[in-house]
Each structure stands twice: as structure tokens, then as C-alpha cells.
Amino acid sequence: MNAVTVDAPRGAAALAAVPGWWAGRAREAGLPSEWCDWRRALPAPPCGLPAAAGGSAGRVSGFALGEAYASGLSTESRRRFGRHYTPEPLARGLWEELDRSGIAIDAPVVDPASGAGALLLPRLERFARARRGADPRAALVAAATAFRGIDNDAHAVWLGNAILAAELLPFWARIPEAERQPLPAMLSCGDGLDVESAGAGVVVMNPPFGRASLDPAQRVRWSRTLYGHANWYGVFLHAAVERVRPGGGVAAVLPASFLGGAYYQRLRAYLAVEAPLVRLRVIDDRAGVFAEVLQETCLAVFHKGAEPAEVACSTQRVNGHTRTASLGVARLAPEAPGRPWLLPRSSSDRGLIRSAARLRHRITDYGWTASTGPLVWNRHKPQIVGDPVRDALPILWAADVGAGIVRRNPARDAQRWIRLRERDLFMRLSEPAVLVRRTTAPEQPRRLVAAALGRSELAGWGGAVVVENHVNVLRRADVDSELTPELLAALLNTATYDRLYRCMTGTVAVSAYELEALPLPAPDVVGDWAAWCLDELERNIRLDDLAG
């Protein structure tokens, strides 16, 4: 990835505050005033930054100092480079999950996307406490070999080295003045994807999020886990598994999209074989945390070389007060590791997950396929009109699809009709289908909003329509299938299936891939459901039925 520059005054101001902050930490460690100058212990900062002038961060923590720097980067820079500062509750929560995993925490601990070292700080604090009475020289040597961070932001690296080195000041103060050497720099500038060898005991990271533009050589390098578009965090996760030695662990702050998205199916299959997921903590109610990320965020721990086992699940709220709650355990289906992983998001999901995990059928087994609506409207602007001219077909937009009903939304009438060219005829839909909205808002109570487009509804639209690409189109090849359009739409609109869908994805998008992965029971159970009154389907579905 490219290097990052400080592009906002607040970022530079945070760095300028380091001298005063460092002097305060040095005094607390018992160092005399002449040894409280950071220049005695640390290398020079990157060119162009104020070295010792202005500002004081007082008694703030290293976490707060790092956060001040990260928040000083411009929004454009954070989005471009996928940089998201790790708040203290998440950094400590990630180490809690590692400690509970049973994985041996052996040195070195490596963070390949370290920023200012927030994820290394909790373990370094513990390291320093455990060696409080140890030989100070040995402690400094051990710290230098036990912790390593890599980042492409030279300013963050300098700041992180100051934050981490401050934890070692009590050891430094016990070394005779004539023998004091500069404190070890545990972070270095570099590319976190450069994997030298599988030598790390543990990898911890909050990797960059965002689409990765990989050249052909890079796509070959990471081909085992790539499918379609690449995301930086997926590439970093692959590299982390390679970097850690067998028996070690990878602990990461990640978007939850890897749990279900189509682009991550090879990554899931790779992880299931090489480093199974053993712990998952979903971050709930994260006000002010990763504000630019419209996905669920999670803390995930993977155990390299372990046999697939149960995944211990929990939630953590980060909204003023940090609270965690256990969700129990879940077992991932070993026969299809690349499929979306069904894992609980709340305590009420546990029974649903257990039952759904036993279901072996999908909509494809009932003759259905799912795809994205074919019309990308801005590619066909000259063909779209507001009046029903000759040979024009009506367009169905996401705003026209409600729960159980397709209804013309007047807000879309100015772009209601399209004149198809010969090469566009594949977009014409003249057979019954089920329509499902592709996008929802984070605060929206339902993920799945589906409606059956039966023959009578099609007739009301003139016999054929064109569906815009913010709608999923589910088509039935087998007209004798027990799963009728009306039944499928009704099922998708139940609270049961809405919860199931939420348990296999971490995004607000609803994809055709994940709709095809939704578990269904055997044909005899589906046949029983088809006999029920659709209006009563919601209350008639029971978890025991899903096990059928």
C-alpha cells in the first residue's frame, strides 16, 4: 500500500504534543529533568514535524494520544487508505478473546498494520508489570524481541514508538545514566503484507478496510483467497495466517462481511483449513467507532493448524460503557466451509442457529436461482422516459418493493419506462419471480424485504417488466416446485428468516449469493408450509420445523 502523509493540522498538533507528554511520563518514572527530553530516548521524527515545540497532552493515555493523531487525519485520507483507529475497549477486548482462546501467547507478537501501536499496548503493559523487579537491561532486550509492528505511515510509527517506549521508562530509569542507550523502537515503516517467514507467535491487527486494486502479480500471490473484488482486510488476513507459526493465533478487528459475502468464500474455505475461527465477538452499538464503516465490526480469533471446532461467540457494546455478553457456542458446517457462516448475533439466536445448522437444503434444491436486477439505470439514461411510449416496458425500482407487495411508488414515475434495444432484451422479465431489496439501512428493523411478482401482478404491469439492479430477482425453473413464489416471499418476510439472514452476514446489503445460501428444510416440511395460510406463516413456523 502507499505511504500516508499528515494532511490535516490536527494530526500534526497531536505529534507536536509528544514532547510535553513524554516529559510527564519520564518524571512519573523517576527520571531527573535532564533525562525527560524525548531526544535522549527516541529517534528523530519524520522530516517536517515539530520536534519539541508546542503543546502538551498532559496525563492522557497512550491510547488517547494515538486516537488524537488518527482523528487528525482527513476523512478522505482515512477512507483512501482504509485506516480506522482502534479504540482502547476494542484493543483490550481483542486481547481478552486471545487469552480465552487457549492459544499460547508466544513471542514475537506482530502487528502488520500497527498504526500508533494501540493493539500492542495492552500486552506491553502486562509485559512491564510482570517484569517489574527484573533486571532492567534484560527487560528492554526482551521487549525489543517480543513486540513488532509494521506500518506505512512514518508519522504513526514515530508516535507509536514513543507511546510504546513510555511503558519501558521505569526500566530505563533503573539503568545507570552512563549506560543508558536509546529505548528500543518496536515499530518500523514497511509493508505489512511482506511476509518473511512463519515466525510470529501471535499476529494482532486492525487491518485497512476497503477495495484493493491489485496488479496481476499480486492477484496470483493471493489467489488462494481471492474471488472477485479484493478487500485489503482479506489480503492482510491471508498474510497474517502465513506469518504466524503453527499453533499460534491471529486476532483481528474486522468487518463482519467476511462471514458471509460471496467475495470471501475462498477466504472462508482457506481459514477453515489453515486457521479455523475459534472466537468471535460482535461489536454492538458502536457509536463513534469506525463511523465510516457501514458494516458490523467484530473481533475474531483464528487458531493456525487447529482442527475445526466450536466457535465461542459474544457481543460487546462500545457506547460510553463497555459491556460484554456471551452468546454461547456454534459449530460451522464442515462439509461446506466456503458457504456463509451461521453464527449468532444475540442470545435469542442460539436455538435458531442450532436448528438451522442441521438443514441441508437451499433454494437451488427447489429449482430457484437468485441474481441481481439487470438494469444499471445510469448506463441506459437515453432509453429511460417518464411516459409509456410505444414498446417501452415499466421499470421496477427498489422503492416499489415492499414486504409482500409490489406497488408503484410515485417518486420513481419520472424514470418509470425504458425502451429496450435488441441487445437489451435479456433484461425483460415476463415470468413469475420473487423480488428482494438489495440494500437496507443500518437502523432498519428488517434486512429482508421481499414480494412475489405473480402472473396477476405481472399482468397488472403489462405482462413484462425490467428490474433495476438495487433489487434481487429470484426465478423458479421448476414450476412444480413445492416452493412457490408466494411461499418463498412469505418465508423471506418472516422474522425467523430475517434473523437467519442477519446471522450469516455483517453488511446492510442483501446479496443473491447469500439468499441462495439460506437454509431450508426437507421437501416434506416445505410441503406442509405450503398448505398453511400464508398470513399465518409467521406464527406457524417453529424452530422444530426448521430441524425437519
Side-chain angles (χ1 to χ4, degrees):
M1 298 183 68
N2 296 326
V4 179
T5 58
V6 178
D7 54 359
R10 286 183 300 161
L15 295 169
V18 169
W21 176 83
W22 177 270
R25 292 294 300 267
R27 286 192 295 270
E28 289 177 2
L31 286 157
S33 59
E34 64 270 21
W35 283 92
C36 292
D37 187 333
W38 64 270
R39 286 171 291 193
R40 286 184 174 265
L42 303 173
C47 180
L49 288 178
S56 172
R59 294 178 59 85
V60 302
S61 69
F63 287 104
L65 195 60
E67 184 171 9
Y69 169 75
S71 64
L73 298 175
S74 70
T75 300
E76 191 280 331
S77 178
R78 290 198 301 273
R79 286 177 176 168
R80 179 184 174 192
F81 296 103
R83 305 182 74 86
H84 304 280
Y85 175 76
T86 310
E88 182 175 355
L90 296 196
R92 297 197 184 281
L94 192 65
W95 279 104
E96 288 173 6
E97 291 299 319
L98 256 174
D99 289 336
R100 294 170 183 171
S101 70
I103 297 171
I105 312 298
D106 295 328
V109 175
V110 178
D111 184 346
S114 63
L119 284 176
L120 296 177
L121 187 54
R123 197 69 183 186
L124 181 61
E125 290 173 345
R126 186 186 302 187
F127 172 96
R129 287 194 301 269
R131 289 164 176 77
R132 192 168 296 160
D135 176 81
R137 298 174 187 81
L140 294 180
V141 171
T145 57
F147 299 95
R148 184 184 174 207
I150 307 125
D151 203 273
N152 61 358
D153 182 348
H155 308 298
V157 165
W158 180 79
L159 175 61
N161 275 324
I163 292 169
L164 297 177
E167 299 300 319
L168 304 178
L169 282 169
F171 299 110
W172 206 53
R174 291 166 49 206
I175 297 175
E177 291 186 7
E179 300 176 21
R180 284 182 193 143
Q181 300 294 321
L183 286 166
M186 288 169 270
L187 310 184
S188 61
C189 279
D191 185 348
L193 293 176
D194 288 342
V195 182
E196 321 84 23
S197 62
V202 170
V203 171
V204 292
M205 62 178 182
N206 179 359
F209 307 166
R211 184 175 292 189
S213 297
L214 303 179
D215 61 38
Q218 289 173 315
R219 291 199 70 88
V220 171
R221 168 70 177 88
W222 308 109
S223 60
R224 188 174 173 188
T225 57
L226 293 181
Y227 183 91
H229 298 306
N231 192 299
W232 283 120
Y233 84 80
V235 180
F236 268 82
L237 191 50
H238 183 162
V241 173
E242 289 188 0
R243 186 186 298 273
V244 75
R245 54 181 174 258
V250 174
V253 183
L254 297 170
S257 53
F258 83 95
L259 299 171
Y263 294 146
Y264 306 100
Q265 55 187 280
R266 286 185 178 171
L267 177 62
R268 286 191 295 274
Y270 171 80
L271 293 169
V273 172
E274 300 293 339
L277 178 68
V278 293
R279 297 193 70 87
L280 181 77
R281 182 184 292 190
V282 177
I283 306 305
D284 186 25
D285 194 12
R286 55 181 174 88
V289 179
F290 305 148
E292 299 93 348
V293 181
L294 295 179
Q295 304 176 19
E296 289 181 350
T297 302
C298 65
L299 311 180
V301 178
F302 307 87
H303 192 178
K304 185 170 181 177
E307 291 296 322
E310 292 179 330
V311 181
C313 301
S314 61
T315 61
Q316 176 176 343
R317 288 179 176 265
V318 183
N319 188 6
H321 301 284
T322 299
R323 298 185 298 276
T324 60
S326 172
L327 302 181
V329 297
R331 182 175 288 274
L332 302 176
E335 71 279 0
R339 272 186 183 164
W341 291 347
L342 269 172
L343 294 165
R345 301 300 201 272
S346 71
S347 57
S348 61
D349 295 332
R350 287 181 288 190
L352 180 63
I353 294 298
R354 283 195 300 269
S355 295
R358 298 195 291 269
L359 305 182
R360 296 292 176 262
H361 291 75
R362 303 294 185 267
I363 65 170
T364 52
D365 298 313
Y366 289 93
W368 285 85
T369 59
S371 61
T372 301
L375 173 63
V376 181
W377 73 270
N378 56 3
R379 297 177 185 173
H380 299 269
K381 284 183 181 180
Q383 300 165 246
I384 296 175
V385 295
D387 298 315
V389 297
R390 182 181 177 184
D391 296 329
L393 293 178
I395 301 172
L396 288 186
W397 301 85
D400 300 319
V401 180
I405 189 169
V406 179
R407 179 179 294 165
R408 180 169 174 166
N409 188 316
R412 282 298 187 180
D413 281 351
Q415 297 172 300
R416 179 57 65 188
W417 301 86
I418 182 169
R419 294 169 294 192
L420 295 183
R421 298 165 298 192
E422 187 70 27
R423 64 174 179 267
D424 301 326
L425 291 178
F426 73 94
M427 293 193 289
R428 185 176 185 271
L429 176 65
S430 59
E431 296 296 325
V434 172
L435 307 181
V436 184
R437 288 190 187 179
R438 283 190 60 209
T439 58
T440 54
E443 68 278 6
Q444 194 165 319
R446 293 195 57 83
R447 278 289 171 271
L448 298 181
V449 179
L453 186 69
R455 293 198 179 279
S456 60
E457 288 83 8
L458 272 170
W461 286 87
V465 296
V466 174
V467 181
E468 193 258 346
N469 77 328
H470 285 90
V471 179
N472 290 298
V473 183
L474 281 62
R475 293 178 174 86
R476 180 180 62 168
D478 181 3
V479 295
D480 296 321
S481 172
E482 301 91 337
L483 194 59
T484 64
E486 293 74 19
L487 176 58
L488 178 54
L491 283 175
L492 295 177
N493 284 324
T494 62
T496 296
Y497 269 89
D498 192 70
R499 284 308 310 171
L500 268 181
Y501 190 85
R502 287 174 181 268
C503 289
M504 67 162 52
T505 182
T507 73
V508 296
V510 177
S511 76
Y513 170 80
E514 287 159 328
L515 288 171
E516 287 190 345
L518 275 170
L520 286 168
D524 57 333
V525 176
V526 171
D528 290 340
W529 288 352
W532 293 343
C533 173
L534 295 180
D535 291 338
E536 297 179 350
L537 188 63
E538 174 78 74
R539 69 183 183 185
N540 283 337
I541 288 184
R542 297 290 183 268
L543 297 183
D544 290 345
D545 294 323
L546 287 179

